[in-house]
Structure formats: structure tokens, C-alpha cells
């Protein structure tokens, strides 16, 4: 089930109709209150979330959605008329999986939803249950990371980024490759998104963050 949180009735009804007609069951909600009430009854497989909403805005809803253990791993695509790079980076840094700027084509939206769902499925089943590099241990099944026995709280994107590094130890990964593999799109070359996530990931890992090395002009690699 896909939840669409959009205050514009016409857009919301069109999105829900299109998804239903393409085999992606969907429900629409005009605001955050109705959306959060529905989440208490049934967890969605993916959320389409507008930023400009009556009452609480989509960024605040996303932040709370990611802070909850029950919903932090559910994919979220932002749907909004706010197309500035700052708005995109802010949403992505909080944990959005994609960002679609209005106006958008319905078939493009369906394609991007399917891409995000594929990445989410790979994330949950595409790597070994346990990974260990140096002092970093990752349990992909339980979605846990610890360094020297201390649990580290990571966002979904930080977790996926670290998983990518740990699955490719000593391999140099370009910023463009990381954007494609983790976020699915190049976001018009906005590689700053990768740099921001790497910086916060290093900070959270503490001394182990030094294992993520910058390869000047190319990207990053994880070394033991």
C-alpha cells in the first residue's frame, strides 16, 4: 500500500487513481494528521509526501517518520513545487529516498516509485546478514550498526551508504556511482548530497569514521 499525502485534491486523486490502475494500491490523505492516523492502523510500503501542507509541513512529518523505529525504514518520496537545491538537499539529508518536483508526469512518477521499491528490497535482502570491517559491525537483518560494541544510530541513507562501503572494502566508489546506487538518480549532478551523508556518517562512527577515506577528485573508499 502506498500513501500519498497531498493537500491538492486534484493532484492527490490523480496520483491515487494512476497508482491503482498500474497495480500499485494507494490511499490519499490531505494532511499530516490523517496520514499519521492511518499509519497507526496500517504501515505503508512507500509514502509520497508533499512539503507544503496545511498545519505541519512535510519536512517535519518526514523527520518524525524517520525518528520512529516502526517507520524509519519505509521509503519516502517527496512531491513538491519547491525545486531549489537547498530544499532537495534538506529533504534528502533528513532521509527522503527521492524528490520529485511538480509538475511531474504520472508515468515518470510510477517509474520512480518502482525504482525506489526495488532499491528498498535490495537493501533488505541483497547483502549478508552480518558484515564486519575493522571495528565496525553491521547486522543487515536487524538494521543495526555498532562500533567497538557501541550501537550507532544511523538514518536509512547513512545505513545504505555504509553497507555499500562495507560490501566494497578497498574499492574506490565515485560520487556519481553512489548517487545512482543509493538514491537511484543523479539529481542533476548534485553530488553534494553524497558529501553531506559521508560527513555525517564519519561523525557518527567516531574514530572508525577515519576508515572512510576521500579519494580526491573521484569519491570515497572504506579501508581496514
Amino acid at each position: 500500500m502506498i500513501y500519498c499525502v497531498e493537500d491538492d485534491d486534484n493532484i492527490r486523486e490523480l496520483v491515487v487513481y494512476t497508482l491503482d490502475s498500474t497495480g500499485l494500491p494507494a490511499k490519499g490523505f490531505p494532511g499530516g494528521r490523517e496520514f499519521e492516523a492511518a499509519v497507526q492502523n496500517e504501515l505503508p510500503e512507500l509514502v509520497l509526501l508533499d512539503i507544503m501542507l496545511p498545519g505541519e509541513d512535510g519536512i517535519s512529518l518526514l523527520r518524525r517518520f524517520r525518528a520512529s523505529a516502526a517507520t524509519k525504514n519505509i521509503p519516502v518520496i517527496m512531491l513538491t513545487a519547491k525545486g531549489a537545491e537547498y530544499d532537495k538537499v534538506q529533504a534528502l539529508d533528513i532521509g527522503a529516498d527521492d524528490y520529485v518536483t511538480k509538475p511531474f508526469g504520472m508515468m515518470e512518477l510510477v517509474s520512480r516509485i518502482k525504482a525506489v521499491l526495488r532499491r528498498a528490497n535490495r537493501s533488505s535482502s541483497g547483502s549478508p546478514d552480518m558484515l564486519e570491517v575493522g571495528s565496525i559491525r553491521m547486522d543487515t537483518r536487524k538494521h543495526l550498526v555498532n562500533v567497538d560494541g557501541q550501537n550507532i544510530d544511523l538514518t536509512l541513507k547513512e545505513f545504505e551508504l555504509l553497507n555499500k562501503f562495507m560490501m566494497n572494502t578497498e574499492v574506490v566508489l565515485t560520487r556519481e556511482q553512489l548517487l545512482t546506487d543509493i538514491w537511484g538518480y543523479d539529481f542533476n549532478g548534485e553530488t553534494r548530497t553524497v558529501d553531506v551523508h559521508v560527513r555525517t556518517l564519519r561523525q557518527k562512527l567516531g574514530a572508525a569514521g577515519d576508515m572512510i577515506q576521500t579519494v580526491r577528485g573521484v569519491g570515497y573508499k572504506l579501508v581496514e
Side-chain angles (χ1 to χ4, degrees):
M1 178 63 65
I2 295 173
Y3 287 175
C4 176
V5 189
E6 166 63 63
D7 63 324
D8 186 307
D9 294 343
N10 293 328
I11 295 177
R12 185 177 67 252
E13 291 171 4
L14 178 58
V15 168
V16 170
Y17 172 80
T18 301
L19 294 180
D20 282 339
S21 64
T22 55
L24 297 169
K27 293 180 180 179
F29 307 95
R33 184 173 59 183
E34 297 87 347
F35 162 65
E36 291 188 318
V39 169
Q40 296 300 314
N41 295 321
E42 179 185 8
L43 291 177
E45 187 176 7
L46 179 144
V47 176
L48 303 174
L49 182 59
D50 190 12
I51 286 183
M52 302 297 289
L53 292 169
E56 189 172 14
D57 64 40
I59 293 295
S60 297
L61 289 170
L62 174 62
R63 186 175 284 110
R64 191 158 60 250
F65 200 70
R66 285 291 175 249
S68 168
T71 58
K72 67 179 182 179
N73 296 325
I74 296 174
V76 177
I77 298 177
M78 307 305 289
L79 298 182
T80 178
K82 303 184 70 174
E85 180 181 359
Y86 171 80
D87 298 312
K88 293 183 181 180
V89 171
Q90 182 186 28
L92 293 169
D93 288 349
I94 294 172
D97 295 85
D98 198 356
Y99 193 112
V100 180
T101 304
K102 301 173 185 177
F104 50 82
M106 286 298 119
M107 291 303 100
E108 177 194 359
L109 177 61
V110 170
S111 177
R112 295 176 76 156
I113 288 172
K114 290 180 177 179
V116 168
L117 290 173
R118 284 196 300 270
R119 292 201 306 276
N121 290 334
R122 286 201 302 269
S123 167
S124 62
S125 62
S127 64
D129 286 348
M130 298 297 301
L131 294 170
E132 184 170 359
V133 180
S135 60
I136 306 173
R137 290 176 56 86
M138 172 180 285
D139 185 329
T140 60
R141 183 173 55 85
K142 296 182 179 179
H143 221 269
L144 296 175
V145 172
N146 70 65
V147 176
D148 293 325
Q150 181 177 354
N151 288 337
I152 307 297
D153 186 22
L154 300 180
T155 67
L156 176 61
K157 287 303 169 198
E158 290 165 352
F159 185 92
E160 292 179 351
L161 189 60
L162 181 58
N163 179 262
K164 184 72 175 179
F165 284 135
M166 295 181 74
M167 291 285 289
N168 296 276
T169 307
E170 305 289 346
V171 176
V172 178
L173 302 173
T174 68
R175 291 174 173 85
E176 291 76 15
Q177 180 182 354
L178 291 169
L179 272 175
T180 299
D181 291 348
I182 305 300
W183 284 271
Y185 300 93
D186 62 12
F187 293 108
N188 296 320
E190 293 168 8
T191 54
R192 177 175 175 271
T193 298
V194 174
D195 296 333
V196 169
H197 280 77
V198 168
R199 183 170 67 248
T200 58
L201 178 58
R202 282 171 168 162
Q203 292 172 347
K204 290 184 178 183
L205 293 175
D210 293 338
M211 295 167 60
I212 303 176
Q213 297 184 355
T214 301
V215 180
R216 189 177 299 276
V218 182
Y220 302 93
K221 67 177 180 179
L222 181 68
V223 299
E224 294 195 51

